[in-house]
Amino acid sequence: MPSAKVLEQKKQMVADLVDCLNNSVAGVVVDYKGITVADDTKLRKELREAGVKYTVVKNTLLGLAAKSAGLDDITNVLEGTTAIAISPEDQTAAARILQKYADASKGKFSIKSGYLDGKVIDLAMIESLAKLPSRDILLATVCNAFNAPIAAFARVIQAVVDKGGEAAPAEEMAPAEEAPAQEAAAPAEEAPAETPAE
């Protein structure tokens, strides 16, 4: 039977896991048994750079944490070697990186399950997430889509301002050209008035 100290450590580990699960947008559970040390080091570095926390965990502890976090369906796959990648901000990062390693390992390293926004998702959904670009790229794409009309509008306004100096004299000249025509018409109207006076 484990000592009180060991039990307290395990309780703390479960509590930490629950906190990570509750404060994340996505996570992926994997079976890492076939990964080499070199690949594991490379994988951990890539996940860390993407802001994803990767932890090797005991199935019983992850099972308890998953139940506490409302992710009960994850417990169905908790056997063998297990690690979990938890992403606090990017919904696609963990799936994208881990799916790449799973595809390259040819069955030695495999994805077991995952969750997105507090709900357990199937392997097909994880594969779909893996095909999406990163959160930063998605945000940049959306921003570009919003900025394109604004940038086009700004260019049109700038073109009007730039050409405003050239267009103004042309507009000022138009009334000047009309003025002589009006002046010419005025004497013509006066001329008949002078004829009867003679």
Side-chain angles (χ1 to χ4, degrees), residues 8 71 79 83:
E8 194 58 39
L71 301 168
E79 56 185 26

Side-chain angles (χ1 to χ4, degrees), residues 132-147:
L132 293 174
S134 70
R135 180 177 181 270
D136 290 340
I137 292 172
L138 284 171
L139 287 175
T141 304
V142 170
C143 286
N144 285 339
F146 281 125
N147 285 338

Side-chain angles (χ1 to χ4, degrees), residues 104-116:
S105 76
K106 298 177 181 177
K108 294 178 181 177
F109 175 92
S110 60
I111 293 175
K112 295 180 176 185
S113 185
Y115 66 92
L116 178 66

